C-alpha cells in the first residue's frame, strides 16, 4: 500500500520550493529528497532552476516522490505541485508563487503575519495555508531559514520520518561544520513544532490555479539589432528588496553627522543626499535618507557608521515603503523622468 497521500496521473507526489538566492532552498530540496529515498525506500528526484544563483535572484527547487515500482522518467519543472513552500515574502511582488497549485493544495509561507493577510497577498481562494516564522527561528538559533522550513515541510508531509531528516542534517554538517549540527537540529524541531495551519474550504468542482510561465520582454522578434540596451543606467528599475534576509538599516537623522562613511561602503548607492548649508552658511551635502528599493540588507553601513545614526532593524512588512526616500535620476534614455 502506498504511503504517499496524493499522486498525479504519472504517480508522482510533487513539491515546489519558491525562494531567492541565499536562503538555501536548493540544499533544502536535496536534503528532503535524500531523506525520502534513503529512509522510506521511495523513488525520488530533485533539481533546481535558477540563473546566476546570486543573492536575491529567484530560485526554484523541485522534489518528486513516487512508489518504488514507479520509474521517474519525467525531469521537467513541476507545474502542478501538491505543496508549495515560499521562503521569502518579497517573492509575491515579482513571482506568481502559487501558479499551477492544485485546488486542495498546501502553501507553506515563511511569515509572521496573519493567515488572512498572507492569503490576500497570495490571491489564494481555497486550500490549506501553513505559516511558520522561519526567519525568527533562524535568527534566534543562528542558522538559516531552510532548516526551519524543512521542519515545517515534514509536519505537512506526515508520511516522512522526522528522525531521518535529523540523520541527514548530521551527515550534511558533521564533516565541515560540526558546530552547526545541534543548532540546525533545534531549528528543524522548532519549524516542525511551530508551524500553524488554516484550511479554507474547497468548493465542489473547484479548479486549481492555472500555470503561467513568464515570458521575456525581448525575444528573437523584439530584440534590438545588435542587442543594444536602449535605456542606459537601466539598473534604476531593479528592486533588491527580495535580497534582504530579515534586517535593514534604520536611519536616525538627529544623530547623523553627515560624514558619508555609510555611502562609502554601500555597494548599491542606497543613500540619498541633498545640498544645503551648515551653521556657518557653507555649502554641504546632507544625508536625506535611504532608498530601500536598492537596499539588500548587507548592513555594511551600520558597521561603518561612527555614531548611532544607523542601526540594524528587524524588517517589518511596510516599513521600507513608508520610510523610503527615493533617489532622483533626472536623465534616462535621453529624457527627463
Amino acid at each position: 500500500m502506498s504511503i504517499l497521500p496524493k499522486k498525479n496521473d504519472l504517480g508522482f507526489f510533487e513539491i515546489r520550493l519558491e525562494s531567492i538566492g541565499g536562503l538555501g532552498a536548493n540544499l533544502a530540496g536535496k536534503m528532503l529528497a535524500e531523506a525520502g529515498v534513503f529512509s522510506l525506500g521511495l523513488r525520488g528526484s530533485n533539481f533546481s532552476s535558477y540563473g546566476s544563483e546570486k543573492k536575491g535572484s529567484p530560485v526554484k527547487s523541485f522534489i518528486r516522490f513516487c512508489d518504488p515500482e514507479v520509474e521517474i522518467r519525467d525531469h521537467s519543472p513541476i507545474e502542478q505541485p501538491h505543496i508549495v513552500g515560499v521562503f521569502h515574502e518579497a517573492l509575491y511582488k515579482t513571482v506568481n508563487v502559487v501558479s499551477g497549485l492544485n485546488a486542495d493544495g498546501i502553501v507553506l509561507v515563511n511569515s509572521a503575519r496573519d493567515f488572512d493577510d498572507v492569503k490576500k497577498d497570495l490571491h489564494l481562494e481555497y486550500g490549506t495555508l501553513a505559516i511558520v516564522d522561519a526567519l525568527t527561528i533562524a535568527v534566534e538559533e543562528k542558522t538559516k531559514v531552510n532548516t526551519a522550513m524543512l521542519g515545517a515541510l515534514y509536519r505537512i508531509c506526515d508520511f516522512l520520518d522526522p528522525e531521518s531528516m535529523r540523520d541527514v542534517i548530521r551527515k550534511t554538517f558533521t564533516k565541515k561544520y560540526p558546530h552547526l549540527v545541534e543548532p540546525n537540529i533545534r531549528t528543524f524541531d522548532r519549524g516542525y513544532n511551530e508551524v500553524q495551519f488554516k484550511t479554507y474550504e474547497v468548493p465542489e468542482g473547484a479548479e486549481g490555479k492555472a500555470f503561467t510561465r513568464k515570458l521575456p520582454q525581448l525575444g528573437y522578434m523584439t530584440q534590438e539589432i545588435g542587442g543594444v540596451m536602449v535605456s542606459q543606467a537601466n539598473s534604476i528599475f531593479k528592486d533588491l528588496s527580495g535580497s534582504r534576509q530579515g534586517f535593514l538599516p534604520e536611519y536616525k537623522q538627529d544623530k547623523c553627522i553627515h560624514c558619508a562613511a555609510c555611502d562609502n561602503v554601500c555597494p548599491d548607492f542606497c543613500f540619498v543626499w541633498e545640498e544645503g548649508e551648515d551653521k556657518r552658511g557653507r555649502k554641504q551635502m546632507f544625508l536625506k535618507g535611504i532608498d530601500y528599493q536598492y537596499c539588500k540588507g548587507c548592513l555594511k553601513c551600520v558597521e561603518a557608521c561612527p555614531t548611532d545614526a544607523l542601526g540594524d532593524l528587524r524588517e517589518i512588512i511596510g516599513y521600507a515603503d513608508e520610510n523610503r526616500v527615493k533617489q532622483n535620476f533626472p536623465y534616462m534614455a535621453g529624457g527627463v523622468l
Side-chain angles (χ1 to χ4, degrees), residues 293-304:
Q293 176 176 328
Y294 307 109
C295 175
K296 57 175 177 277
C298 67
L299 302 182
K300 291 180 181 179
C301 56
V302 177
E303 296 176 14

Side-chain angles (χ1 to χ4, degrees), residues 94 212-224:
T94 56
T212 56
R213 182 179 288 110
K214 192 174 181 180
L215 298 176
Q217 292 182 345
L218 298 177
Y220 75 98
M221 293 183 68
T222 55
Q223 176 67 51
E224 295 286 332

Side-chain angles (χ1 to χ4, degrees), residues 111-128:
S111 178
R113 294 192 297 151
D114 181 75
F115 282 98
D116 292 337
D117 290 339
V118 175
K119 174 178 177 285
K120 181 180 178 181
D121 284 347
L122 288 173
H123 303 291
L124 196 67
E125 298 165 5
Y126 30 72
T128 300

